[in-house]
Amino acid sequence: MADPNFGRILSDAEVVYYLLKGEKIVVTPLLDSAQVKSTIDLRLGTDFVVKKMDRFTHLDPITLHRVQKKDPEAVLQIYDVIKRPDPRSSFILHPKHFALGCTLEYVYLSPEIGGILEGRSSWAREGLNVHSTAGFIHPGHRGIIVFELSNSGSHPIPLHPGMRVAQLLLYELANSTELPYGPDVAAKYTKYVATNFGRPWEDWEFACLAESARSEDEKHYS
Amino acid sequence: MDEVRNLFQNWFGQLVERIVRLDQYLSERKASAPTRVKLRRNIVSELLSSLHQLAEELHEKATFFLSDKSPESRRSLYYAFVLEATGRYRRLHALINYIPAPWPSPHLELFLTKVLEEGGLEGSVHGQEPMLCNTLLSADYNFSHILVPIAGASAVVGQLPLQNLLTVPSAEKDNPLMWPNLLHELAHVIGQEVIDAAQECLTHVKAPQIRSILGRWTHEIVADLIAADYLGPAYFGSFVTFCTYWVPQSPRLPTTSHPAPDKRVEYLFHYLNQQSPDFITALKSLYADYQTRLQMDHEDFKSRNSVFDAYRDTRAADKPFPLEELRGFVSEIVALPEFKKIRPRTMNVNDALEVQALARYLKEGQLIASRRDNAILRDYKSVEDVRKDYRNALSSLQEKPNDVRLILNAALIRRLSDATVDRRGKNSGAPLTFHAKLLDDYCKSKEIVASKRLMELRQTVNNLDSVISKSMEATTVMAFYQSYQQRQARAGE
């Protein structure tokens, strides 16, 4: 039977204890203790990825799945561009625009600790979203956390590297996960230290879907 | 034979790494070209194909070399091959000058600014009297002054200021371990007063020939000393890497503007060893490779002279300059008040310990921007302990950023230490015996130039670079917080 003390959201003292121990949770660099409450405030890093919008009409994962088998990097360079503004300046996120960003912090969670990423209320009130429906950080995660930044407000927001834009709520599982996110499972986004591109077309289901689409095409043209 | 084997292994590995970097740079340029240009065969495609041809040849030789079939008697042939391949890579890289280059990322400039700030020269680059340093992508590390001539402009804006141009090899713009070489170039600017003072010291050198040579070499010697003072062994590491694996010419060759690299390595080694012997032990493997190359160079000195036509200045090479003279001159420069004025705190035993601790953290992609050491913290045995003393526990989480030079040195030491391999057998984060592993990976597949294979190699190379860069960025951003907090504290007092 599972221990009733486990399987719950961590309190501030527990977060501090685990951070001090540095075994179950590592968040580095942490500069100010004000970052740690019952959640840990996360700061914005220096790399941003934006989509090239001037050349392509749409993003078709099945076509991209076929292309990436030949040259994985070509796909990324077709659609995405990395912006690395001077860390002393800012990246302007305009209303209704979307960009990927990353945390300044490196985060490690052990197999029994998971995280939920959420925005900070101050920035949420200005319309800044830090994730779009993908806020779970799996147990076993290591590396930076990627933000899916979008501005749903009415004014452009200058994003300065180092500003606190998000918070990480931590929970402890009732039992340690058998397959933590990382070396033992096919984890696409582990051990990164800079903003990484999204690669949905690498998912296994697209191998089947691409095959089925090809046979449909053959039927159609035969 | 082991030493020679290590040298070749690392040399082949360095070449592979540089090919991967150049391939990546060219691919980036190709991807950002206008769509119509991509349809034609252009210079980037031609360069890529020549590069892949070099990769194929290298693959063939390296595979044979690693298969233990290479007898000792053939080492001169291997030496000749790697020299030729190094020269060919250099020529290919130099052709990049014909392709429009992007402005380098701000990281290079930030790195230079941060290092100077840490050394106490805050504002030298972006202060009230800016030095106007610009960094450009080019074929080699270099420094030059230019005066921009604009016809008719002088009447309107007056005399335009002198521009200081630093150049960095395009393919190496994201390789932090070689950034210290850029600091050497910047030192030509910040050390101008020292150079002037040092040249005045030469009046007591009686032999006019030696005086004139030393006068010209002063620029390089001063820049070497400043870079070594600001970055410690990290500069020595990047310079020795450059001398050992990057240049096809003999390290024994002086030119009219530069002392022979072997002399520079010697006085730098001596200089750093006086300051912090603990660091030098960590660089043993790199230094051993350099010594081996020097020995091989001595054996083949005359025969290669005719084969590669790399020794145009043989007259100078015939007259080896006495090292003692240079060492004496270095001591004089260090004692100059002008030098003391710009000298940072030199690295000591405590730094060595900190660097070793940081090098341990730099694994599996872990950032090393923080200075927190669990060993010196109060030991909290349970959550209850933390609850009882919550405020103190919370404040002990506060940290200060590390210096960029500590991060660079830790990265170098990590790179020279053993590889860490995860369960899937892949290099994770900061691997190394980097070159041995890279070369091994490189030789596993026959289709080396297939883009997927190069992509994997790129990933390996990029992982380490991005960990180091990210650590530096985090340090830079954290430094802003720190300076703000210090200002607040001062205002409070």
Side-chain angles (χ1 to χ4, degrees), chain B residues 28-239:
Chain B
E28 281 169 20
R29 305 299 313 131
K30 198 175 171 184
S32 61
T35 320
R36 282 184 185 174
V37 177
K38 279 185 222 167
L39 299 176
R40 302 196 299 266
R41 280 185 75 78
N42 57 32
I43 188 169
V44 180
S45 308
E46 295 294 338
L47 263 176
L48 271 171
S49 109
S50 306
L51 194 68
H52 292 165
Q53 198 181 336
L54 176 61
E56 284 290 0
E57 283 181 39
L58 201 66
H59 173 232
E60 192 186 320
K61 296 277 182 198
T63 312
F64 189 75
F65 171 74
L66 286 183
S67 65
D68 283 328
K69 288 175 189 166
S70 49
E72 196 169 341
S73 58
R74 298 179 70 123
R75 67 183 191 174
S76 295
L77 282 176
Y78 277 110
Y79 188 54
F81 172 76
V82 287
L83 279 181
E84 193 272 336
T86 308
R88 191 138 49 107
Y89 174 86
R90 249 174 113 84
R91 284 193 295 279
L92 282 175
H93 192 292
L95 290 174
I96 287 183
N97 282 349
Y98 294 101
I99 306 169
W103 205 257
S105 63
H107 295 64
L108 291 172
E109 200 182 323
L110 274 174
F111 159 73
L112 293 173
T113 313
K114 189 76 175 49
V115 169
L116 292 188
E117 279 176 7
E118 285 168 5
L121 280 184
E122 194 168 357
S124 294
V125 179
H126 293 292
Q128 289 175 340
E129 294 176 2
M131 285 190 175
L132 293 172
C133 274
N134 286 304
T135 312
L136 295 177
L137 297 182
S138 182
D140 214 336
Y141 296 99
N142 212 341
F143 164 75
S144 63
H145 297 292
I146 56 163
L147 189 61
V148 183
I150 304 175
S154 59
V156 183
V157 295
Q159 183 68 37
L160 283 168
L162 201 63
Q163 300 279 332
N164 296 304
L165 273 188
L166 313 178
T167 61
V168 63
S170 314
E172 303 298 328
K173 66 182 167 57
D174 294 326
N175 180 2
L177 285 178
M178 295 306 279
W179 287 356
N181 284 328
L182 199 59
L183 189 71
H184 165 97
E185 306 303 341
L186 182 67
H188 287 298
V189 184
I190 59 174
Q192 193 53 51
E193 275 185 40
V194 188
I195 293 166
D196 295 341
Q199 282 173 337
E200 281 174 26
C201 292
L202 291 171
T203 45
H204 73 276
V205 179
K206 285 173 188 168
Q209 194 190 7
I210 293 178
R211 193 166 59 235
S212 123
I213 291 174
L214 276 179
R216 275 173 275 163
W217 289 356
T218 306
H219 293 265
E220 299 304 322
I221 297 170
V222 168
D224 275 344
L225 293 177
I226 291 174
D229 262 350
Y230 275 81
L231 290 175
Y235 174 65
F236 183 78
S238 63
F239 183 64

Side-chain angles (χ1 to χ4, degrees), chain B residues 177 355 358 362 368-369 402-412 467-469 471-472 475:
Chain B
L177 285 178
V355 163
L358 289 176
L362 182 62
I368 52 173
N402 280 298
D403 291 347
V404 162
R405 67 171 173 180
L406 293 186
I407 291 174
L408 262 185
N409 280 292
L412 179 70
V467 169
I468 302 167
S469 304
S471 295
M472 287 191 193
T475 296

Side-chain angles (χ1 to χ4, degrees), chain B residues 281-300:
Chain B
T281 48
L283 298 174
K284 257 182 194 166
S285 62
L286 191 59
Y287 192 60
D289 268 6
Y290 165 76
Q291 294 282 11
T292 312
R293 165 148 191 205
L294 217 55
Q295 281 169 13
M296 298 208 65
D297 182 68
H298 180 67
E299 285 173 11
D300 288 354

Side-chain angles (χ1 to χ4, degrees), chain B residues 91 249-250 253-255 305 308-317:
Chain B
R91 284 193 295 279
Q249 292 89 352
S250 165
L253 266 177
T255 66
N305 192 7
F308 294 109
D309 193 26
Y311 301 94
R312 291 178 190 158
D313 198 4
T314 44
R315 207 157 49 104

